[in-house]
Each structure stands twice: as structure tokens, then as C-alpha cells.
């Protein structure tokens, strides 16, 4: 049958994929793959090495392709067998843009794991010895899972990155958890007499969209709509891969940097007309005849690693602690872990005391999925938010199955729940058997004993508890995040943090300090239409910064101005229906709405793509965040 599938190999955290058209179900392609795995250890070791040698050859060819020559050189062609399925840092998904892949089998050569549909993970060396097909089942989210009751414990693998235990010198003392003093480790070189200075720890409520002046909100609002569109498109990939990454892994750094760039805005994001962008899915070039010099050049697709020869891969810094504008970024993972918040806040404070002992620091801790904002005032206090949701991932397929579902649910699926079996056996008794049992049992008259009543009551309570327990164990969003927070409110809190940190470093000027009347500056700055000049103007003074934020430079010669609907925007979940767009070249102003781009581009509108980063030929294109600005007239016509 035409059951489509993928066979994939993982080496050095990158996946190499081959497409299979026929018989990809477990009894077909799955069985064929497993039958190639040798039974005895010596042959298995030899086979494993041969697989690694094969994939290393692919890796060399792909690495050569990613390092493209300079603009004057001839492009390196895509390796032949990789042209159909590009190697990727993401687990190959069963859902693609063009076709539905029904089965995916992955041989992980890094960790010696065999995975089925990215949700059932087995020890690779155990595959010839177990009934792996009989242990497959469908979970509550229609994902493939394995049933532990049907497998030996040594056959079950874990793909989730295990975080090291909390370091004692990074922990907070007992008083901290209830708002006491924050005391980092005692080995800080910058502190006097080797003693850590006690800082008051204070939890604060993050700012929301209503903390941003309404005439400056449209930039943050537009970017919030962009990140909402992007996060929905990447959720499937993150649910299958995110918890397999460490903060220093290339794709983790790229995704975290992209999300933070959208929050920081301004020079860190570039709007590119799709009609000017020529891409092969891995990298692309903007038409050199495009007038905006800031937009021209080489763009890699986010997290592919494409780059010019001699240049760095991707757009994110290689470090896991770095400055983004005036905010100190700390990359971490699994912030929902017990004691993770205390540990990470202590790490921020210790780093600031060592490297910036007399400087007020705004910091953002992010695991991509969550964020904690920290404000360190030397010698005074540490302010921080609770755990805030950032990029939503509804379920993680990389968590251990026992951490995802309750034991009772897994036993019910496996048919090994003793109480369920007992009930089924009772239902199978026919009337004759029931009568025979009745005749052979001597019933006593009178009331049940207290012990019998208590036993029956306890059993009923246990069954009720199991029903109430439900299916799921693991839900970091529900159990750990700050009450009342949401992904959109977190984005506005981050945007406000970047803006507040920048304002603190900009000169404050009085009305009489300027050479010209203040009412002339908006008219002059209105015609600044290139990013580098605009960025320089925003650093002149707080007045200039405010004026530049009111006239949002969307692209070369296109400005978005605040609309009246922004005045009433007081909740993060609300978005205005219209933006005011001015085309300086055509000298016309129209109302436009933000819409996700039509997949088939049939309405004829200009489709825009978003790139992050600032380095020339080092920006990364967000592959799944295409949008269009639809005019009010087009909106009316589409409704009709």
C-alpha cells in the first residue's frame, strides 16, 4: 500500500532523512529496519560503526553545502539525495506542508535510540530482543507512545536532556523562598573581603501593554502578532524536539535569539518583500536591485546553519549569556523544574556581582518556553517576576511516558490494570456460571462486618481517585507559571523591559536644550526611512526615541502610525483591527489589517517575510511567519 514514511538517522544532533513511499507501517518498513540490527553484541557494534561512517559522509557533503561561497563565487549545489528531504536539527515530523507522512523511524546514532513517530523511544540494542510493535499505542493527542507495562525496563529509552542537580553555591537560603535575603555563592572575586553582599529579593508584577504609551504601542502590538503567528507554526516542531536541546545547542540559541529579537524590535527585525526574496528553503538572497540597502544580501533560513564561507553559522551569538541591546540574556532550559527559579535567579545575581558589581542590570532568563525577568540593583535589591509563559508548547513528546501519563491510564491501555481485568471478567460471566457460583457459596444473614465495609469503601474511593486523576501528569504551563499570565502578556513585559533598559541609557533633555523648536523634530524624523539612521536617532535623546517610536518604520519608505484603537488596548489578548500605513513615495495613507498570508498567494497582495539579526549577510529568515497587510477596501471585498 502507499503508506508514506521517513527513515531518519541522527548524528551530532542533526537528522538525515530518506523518504519511503510504500508499506511504511510497523509491519512493513519498521520491521525491515529492525531486522537489519544484529542480535549479538559484536555484530551490533560493527553495524553501529558502519551506520555512523555512512552518515558522516552525508554530514561532510551537507556541511560543504551550508558554507556557501561569497556573492562572486559559484553556489555549491545541494547533494543529490538530500534535495528531497533537507537535513535538519528538528525531528522529522509526520506532518509536512505537502504530504502527510504516516510513519517516521529514527535511528539515533548519538544516543543509540530507536524512535517511532518521535513519541515511542526504545534502546537501539534491545530492538531485536523485544516485541516493540506490540507495545505501540496512540496517546490522547493522537501521538504514538509506548506502553511500559509491556516492555522490560532496560528496553525503554529517554531522549529528554537531564539537567544537572542544583549546585549548592547557586542555591538560595531558606529565607529566600519566602521573600528573605538573596545570598549567592561566597567565591565572588569582585566582592569585598570575599563576602557575598545580601540583597533583598522582591517579586514584582510584570508590565503589560497598558504600561506602554498608546502612541508607541503599535510597534509592540505588530510584533506580538508576528510572534503569535510564528509560535503557532513552530509548536509541532518544538513539541518533538525542544527538550532534547541544551542552551548551547545551535538550534536552541537560534530560536531563543529570534524570539528575543521580536521582543526587542527596531534594528533586530527586518521586513522583506517575498517577491524580492529568492530562496531554496535553506538560504536565500534579496534582489540586489531592491532599493533598501539594509535588506539586501544573504539570509539563512532560521536554524539551518547556512552561511558564507568564513562567516559564523546563523544569526545568534555563540554564548549562552550575552547582551541584546541593554538587556543581559541568560539561556537556560526546563525552568519549570523544582528549584529552577531560585537557582537561575541566583546565577544571574552572581554573574552580575562578578562582572558588573556597580551597574544596574536588567536581565531576561529564557528557556524559549518560559521567561523570568530580573532587575538587579547593586547593594540594594533584586526584583524578579514569576515564571512567565512565552512560546506555547502544549505537550512534549520528549518527556518520559511516565511523566506524561498516569500509571493507571498506561495500564488500562496495556490491558494490565488488575481492577479493569477484574471488571471485565465479571462481565463475561454468563447466567449459568453466575447461578453456579451463587449455589456454591454459603451466604450469611445479617449485616456485613465493619472490616468488610471499610475494605469495600476504600476500594471504591481508590477507583474514584483514579477517575479524578485523569490521564496527564506533566503540565508545566498549568502547574508552574504565574497565575493570570499568558504568552501575549509575557511578550509585552519583555518588550517593556527592552524599552525601559534602553531609555535608562539615553540622555534626558529639556525642551530648551534643542537647537530647533520641539515641534519641528517630528516633521524631520518622519522622513528618516533607513534603519541605521533611525537607530542612531533613537540614541540621541529620550524625545527623539519617543518620536521615532510613534512613526514606526516598517520598510523602506513605509511607515505605520498609531491608530485610535490603540487607546483602548488595555489587555494583552486584544489587538487593533487596523493600522495606519503611510507610503512616503506615493504620498498616500491607507488603513491596513495584519493577516496571515494566503498559502497559495491567490489574492495578489504583497507577502512579507520576517528576518532577525543585525549582521550583514548574517540575518536569519523566519520560515513560517509570512503575512500580508490588507487594505480596508480589500477587507470589505473579501467579506462580500
Amino acid at each position: 500500500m502507499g503508506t508514506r514514511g521517513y527513515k531518519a538517522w541522527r548524528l551530532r544532533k542533526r537528522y538525515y532523512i530518506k523518504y519511503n513511499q510504500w508499506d511504511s507501517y510497523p509491519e512493513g518498513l519498521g520491521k525491515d529496519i529492525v531486522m537489519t540490527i544484529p542480535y549479538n553484541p559484536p555484530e551490533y557494534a560493527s553495524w553501529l560503526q558502519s551506520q555512523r561512517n555512512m552518515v558522516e559522509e552525508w554530514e561532510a557533503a551537507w556541511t560543504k553545502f551550508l558554507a556557501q561561497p561569497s556573492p562572486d563565487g559559484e553556489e555549491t549545489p545541494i547533494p543529490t539525495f538530500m534535495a528531497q528531504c533537507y537535513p535538519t536539527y528538528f525531528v522529522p515530523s509526520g506532518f509536512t506542508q505537502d504530504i502527510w507522512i504516516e510513519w517516521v523511524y529514527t535511528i539515533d546514532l548519538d544516543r543509540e535510540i530507536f524512535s517511532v513517530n518521535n513519541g515511542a523511544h526504545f534502546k537501539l540494542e534491545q530492538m531485536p530482543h523485544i516485541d516493540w510493535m506490540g507495545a505501540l499505542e496512540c496517546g490522547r493527542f493522537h501521538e504514538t507512545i509506548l506502553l511500559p507495562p509491556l516492555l522490560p525496563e532496560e528496553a525503554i529509552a529517554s531522549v529528554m536532556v537531564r539537567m544537572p542537580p542544583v549546585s549548592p553555591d547557586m542555591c538560595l537560603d531558606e529565607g529566600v523562598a519566602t521573600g528573605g535575603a538573596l545570598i549567592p555563592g561566597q567565591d565572588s572575586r569582585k566582592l569585598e573581603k570575599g563576602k557575598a553582599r545580601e540583597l533583598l529579593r522582591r517579586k514584582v508584577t510584570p508590565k503589560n501593554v497598558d504600561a506602554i504609551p498608546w502612541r508607541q504601542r503599535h510597534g509592540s502590538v505588530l510584533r506580538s502578532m508576528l510572534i503569535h503567528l510564528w509560535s503557532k507554526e513552530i509548536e509541532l516542531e518544538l513539541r518533538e524536539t525542544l527538550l532534547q536541546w541544551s542552551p548551547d545547542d545551535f538550534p536552541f540559541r537560534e530560536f531563543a535569539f529570534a524570539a528575543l529579537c521580536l521582543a526587542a524590535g527596531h534594528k533586530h527585525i527586518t521586513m522583506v518583500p517575498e517577491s524580492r526574496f529568492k530562496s531554496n528553503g535553506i538560504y536565500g538572497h534579496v534582489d540586489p536591485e531592491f532599493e533598501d540597502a539594509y535588506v539586501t544580501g544573504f539570509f539563512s533560513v532560521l536554524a539551518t546553519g547556512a552561511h558564507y564561507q568564513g562567516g559564523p553559522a546563523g544569526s545568534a551569538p555563540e554564548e549562552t549569556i550575552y547582551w541584546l541591546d541593554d538587556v543581559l540574556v541568560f539561556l537556560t532550559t526546563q525552568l519549570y523544574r523544582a528549584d529552577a527559579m531560585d537557582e537561575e535567579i541566583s546565577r544571574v545575581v552572581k554573574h552580575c556581582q562578578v562582572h558588573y558589581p556597580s551597574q544596574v542590570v536588567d536581565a531576561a532568563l529564557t528557556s524559549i518556553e518560559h521567561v523570568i525577568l530580573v532587575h538587579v540593583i547593586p547593594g540594594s535589591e533584586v526584583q524578579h517576576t514569576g515564571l512567565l509563559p512565552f512560546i506555547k508548547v502544549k505537550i512534549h513528546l520528549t518527556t518520559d511516558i511516565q511523566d506524561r501519563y498516569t500509571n493507571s491510564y498506561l495500564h488500562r491501555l496495556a490491558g494490565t490494570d488488575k481492577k479493569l481485568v477484574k471488571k471485565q471478567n465479571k462481565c463475561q460471566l454468563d447466567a449459568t456460571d453466575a447461578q453456579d457460583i451463587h449455589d456454591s457459596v454459603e451466604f450469611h444473614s445479617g449485616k456485613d462486618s465493619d472490616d468488610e465495609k471499610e475494605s469495600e469503601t476504600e476500594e471504591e474511593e481508590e477507583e474514584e481517585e483514579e477517575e479524578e486523576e485523569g490521564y496527564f501528569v506533566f503540565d508545566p504551563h498549568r502547574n508552574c507559571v504565574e497565575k493570570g499570565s499568558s504568552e501575549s502578556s509575557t511578550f509585552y513585559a519583555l518588550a517593556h523591559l527592552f524599552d525601559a533598559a534602553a531609555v535608562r541609557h539615553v540622555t534626558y533633555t529639556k525642551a530648551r536644550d534643542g537647537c530647533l523648536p520641539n515641534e519641528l523634530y517630528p516633521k524631520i524624523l518622519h522622513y528618516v526611512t533607513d534603519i541605521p539612521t533611525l537607530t542612531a536617532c533613537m540614541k540621541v535623546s529620550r524625545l527623539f526615541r519617543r518620536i521615532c517610536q510613534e512613526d514606526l518604520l516598517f520598510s523602506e519608505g513605509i511607515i505605520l502610525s498609531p491608530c485610535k484603537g490603540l487607546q483602548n488596548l488595555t489587555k494583552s489578548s486584544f489587538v487593533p483591527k487596523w493600522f495606519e500605513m503611510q507610503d512616503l513615495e506615493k504620498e498616500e495613507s491607507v488603513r491596513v489589517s495584519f493577516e496571515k498570508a494566503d498559502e497559495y498567494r491567490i489574492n495578489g497582495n504583497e507577502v512579507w517575510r520576517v528576518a532577525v539579526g543585525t549582521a550583514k549577510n548574517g540575518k536569519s529568515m523566519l520560515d513560517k511567519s509570512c503575512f500580508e497587510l490588507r487594505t480596508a477596501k480589500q477587507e470589505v471585498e473579501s467579506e462580500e
Side-chain angles (χ1 to χ4, degrees):
M1 291 179 62
T3 306
R4 296 167 293 274
Y6 284 147
K7 180 181 179 181
W9 294 260
R10 183 184 193 260
L11 182 69
R12 282 184 269 278
K13 302 182 180 180
R14 185 184 276 135
Y15 294 86
Y16 300 84
I17 309 161
K18 283 193 174 181
Y19 173 71
N20 186 74
Q21 175 67 40
W22 308 102
D23 299 336
S24 297
Y25 41 82
E27 294 83 358
L29 177 62
K31 182 179 179 180
D32 291 342
I33 295 173
V34 172
M35 287 182 66
T36 65
I37 304 174
Y39 187 88
N40 63 70
E43 291 182 3
Y44 168 79
S46 177
W47 170 85
L48 186 65
Q49 187 58 50
S50 67
Q51 293 288 300
R52 287 174 174 156
N53 293 340
M54 176 183 67
V55 180
E56 282 174 353
E57 292 180 6
W58 301 342
E59 180 185 48
W62 186 247
T63 301
K64 181 180 179 181
F65 167 73
L66 291 179
Q68 287 293 316
S70 60
D72 299 331
E74 184 177 349
E75 291 189 0
T76 304
I78 298 176
T80 304
F81 89 90
M82 299 180 191
Q84 188 177 27
C85 300
Y86 296 142
T88 175
Y89 284 105
F90 298 103
V91 174
S93 174
F95 298 92
T96 66
Q97 186 175 2
D98 301 317
I99 56 176
W100 180 36
I101 300 298
E102 298 171 76
W103 292 95
V104 180
Y105 306 95
T106 303
I107 298 175
D108 187 335
L109 301 174
D110 293 329
R111 299 169 293 187
E112 297 185 37
I113 293 173
F114 182 81
S115 298
V116 180
N117 281 358
N118 311 320
H121 310 288
F122 307 88
K123 294 284 182 65
L124 185 59
E125 63 180 5
Q126 293 290 325
M127 293 306 294
H129 308 274
I130 60 174
D131 178 18
W132 61 277
M133 283 186 280
L136 296 178
E137 187 54 83
C138 184
R140 297 291 293 177
F141 288 95
H142 307 290
E143 81 279 24
T144 300
I145 64 174
L146 59 78
L147 298 175
L150 302 181
L151 292 167
E153 185 176 350
E154 61 272 14
I156 302 173
S158 175
V159 297
M160 181 176 168
V161 171
R162 298 296 172 182
M163 298 302 295
V166 178
S167 174
D169 66 343
M170 283 291 186
C171 291
L172 307 175
D173 64 0
E174 294 181 358
V176 172
T178 56
L182 179 72
I183 306 178
Q186 301 290 325
D187 59 345
S188 180
R189 299 167 303 185
K190 299 286 185 178
L191 300 180
E192 298 178 359
K193 299 180 182 180
K195 293 184 179 179
R197 186 178 301 162
E198 292 188 6
L199 299 178
L200 175 66
R201 176 183 176 186
R202 184 159 63 93
K203 187 177 178 181
V204 297
T205 302
K207 302 289 186 181
N208 208 327
V209 64
D210 55 359
I212 305 172
W214 78 269
R215 292 191 62 82
Q216 301 167 36
R217 287 178 190 168
H218 50 305
S220 298
V221 170
L222 177 64
R223 300 196 308 274
S224 75
M225 297 167 78
L226 286 174
I227 200 168
H228 176 72
L229 170 63
W230 179 58
S231 61
K232 287 182 66 176
E233 294 295 326
I234 64 173
E235 182 182 357
L236 180 64
E237 295 172 333
L238 292 182
R239 79 171 190 170
E240 298 175 337
T241 314
L242 179 58
L243 296 186
Q244 298 190 52
W245 294 336
S246 298
D248 56 351
D249 286 337
F250 174 75
F252 187 100
R253 291 186 285 106
E254 288 286 290
F255 268 73
F257 181 73
L260 292 170
C261 282
L262 289 172
H266 306 299
K267 65 180 181 181
H268 297 289
I269 61 174
T270 306
M271 305 299 181
V272 181
E274 188 176 66
S275 59
R276 303 280 187 175
F277 184 63
K278 310 303 178 184
S279 171
N280 58 11
I282 302 299
Y283 64 85
H285 298 85
V286 174
D287 187 347
E289 296 182 1
F290 188 40
E291 294 180 359
D292 190 347
Y294 185 74
V295 179
T296 58
F298 179 91
F299 291 75
S300 67
V301 174
L302 186 71
T304 60
H307 60 284
Y308 274 154
Q309 291 177 4
S315 54
E318 295 182 357
E319 300 80 12
T320 58
I321 301 176
Y322 57 85
W323 287 96
L324 184 62
D325 287 346
D326 299 296
V327 173
L328 189 58
V329 174
F330 289 77
L331 302 186
T332 184
T333 187
Q334 301 172 31
L335 276 172
Y336 53 80
R337 292 173 293 120
D339 298 326
M341 178 180 290
D342 290 347
E343 173 191 358
E344 295 296 340
I345 293 174
S346 292
R347 183 164 72 101
V348 171
V349 173
K350 183 176 181 180
H351 184 88
C352 292
Q353 288 180 326
V354 171
H355 299 282
Y356 315 103
S358 59
Q359 181 178 337
V360 175
V361 175
D362 288 303
L365 278 158
T366 181
S367 63
I368 299 178
E369 191 178 8
H370 299 101
V371 163
I372 299 173
L373 308 182
V374 184
H375 182 68
V376 181
I377 306 175
S380 178
E381 67 176 4
V382 177
Q383 301 171 6
H384 68 90
T385 65
L387 184 64
L388 307 176
F390 191 24
I391 303 296
K392 186 173 183 179
V393 183
K394 191 173 183 180
I395 183 175
H396 287 283
L397 299 189
T398 44
T399 55
D400 292 346
I401 191 66
Q402 293 93 337
D403 294 334
R404 209 184 317 159
Y405 292 105
T406 61
N407 283 329
S408 58
Y409 176 64
L410 294 174
H411 277 286
R412 285 200 294 272
L413 289 179
T416 55
D417 188 313
K418 294 180 180 179
K419 292 179 181 177
L420 181 63
V421 172
K422 183 178 179 181
K423 288 181 180 179
Q424 292 173 340
N425 291 338
K426 286 182 179 179
C427 293
Q428 292 173 356
L429 293 174
D430 56 26
T432 304
D433 292 336
Q435 185 63 42
D436 291 342
I437 293 174
H438 180 273
D439 294 341
S440 63
V441 175
E442 182 179 351
F443 292 92
H444 65 81
S445 59
K447 299 180 179 180
D448 295 334
S449 67
D450 292 339
D451 290 342
E452 289 173 339
K453 278 186 175 181
E454 187 175 339
S455 176
E456 292 176 0
T457 303
E458 289 177 355
E459 187 171 336
E460 291 174 359
E461 289 177 353
E462 286 178 3
E463 291 178 0
E464 290 176 0
E465 287 176 2
E466 286 185 359
E467 292 295 328
E468 293 175 359
E469 187 181 19
Y471 306 101
F472 307 113
V473 174
F474 182 78
D475 191 349
H477 284 278
R478 184 181 64 186
N479 299 332
C480 307
V481 299
E482 190 72 6
K483 187 176 180 180
S485 61
S486 65
E487 287 78 14
S488 55
S489 66
T490 299
F491 179 84
Y492 288 120
L494 259 175
H496 187 276
L497 178 75
F498 277 101
D499 188 61
V503 167
R504 196 169 58 249
H505 291 83
V506 175
T507 305
Y508 175 76
T509 58
K510 298 180 181 179
R512 61 178 180 272
D513 292 339
C515 299
L516 298 173
N518 282 352
E519 57 267 22
L520 291 181
Y521 293 125
K523 298 181 182 297
I524 297 172
L525 293 173
H526 183 75
Y527 289 93
V528 176
T529 60
D530 65 279
I531 296 295
T533 304
L534 187 70
T535 301
C537 290
M538 293 181 70
K539 296 179 180 179
V540 171
S541 69
R542 297 184 183 185
L543 172 63
F544 273 37
R545 182 178 179 85
R546 177 179 59 78
I547 294 172
C548 292
Q549 287 177 325
E550 290 181 2
D551 280 342
L552 176 66
L553 182 58
F554 176 80
S555 183
E556 177 76 22
I558 299 178
I559 290 176
L560 293 185
S561 300
C563 60
K564 292 183 179 180
L566 292 168
Q567 297 183 55
N568 302 321
L569 190 66
T570 57
K571 292 185 178 181
S572 60
S573 58
F574 296 165
V575 293
K577 186 172 180 60
W578 305 105
F579 293 93
E580 299 289 343
M581 186 178 77
Q582 300 177 48
D583 190 322
L584 299 180
E585 182 180 350
K586 297 180 181 179
E587 296 185 351
E588 63 181 19
S589 179
V590 294
R591 280 186 169 184
V592 295
S593 63
F594 177 95
E595 304 289 342
K596 179 181 177 181
D598 177 74
E599 183 178 354
Y600 300 104
R601 315 291 196 260
I602 59 176
N603 56 22
N605 286 342
E606 179 67 83
V607 173
W608 295 87
R609 306 186 71 169
V610 184
V612 296
T614 57
K616 184 178 181 180
N617 297 321
K619 298 184 180 72
S620 294
M621 193 69 69
L622 306 188
D623 192 34
K624 299 180 179 180
S625 58
C626 299
F627 68 97
E628 58 187 60
L629 296 177
R630 187 176 299 178
T631 64
K633 181 180 178 180
Q634 290 173 322
E635 188 73 19
V636 172
E637 290 176 351
S638 64
E639 290 177 358
E640 292 176 352

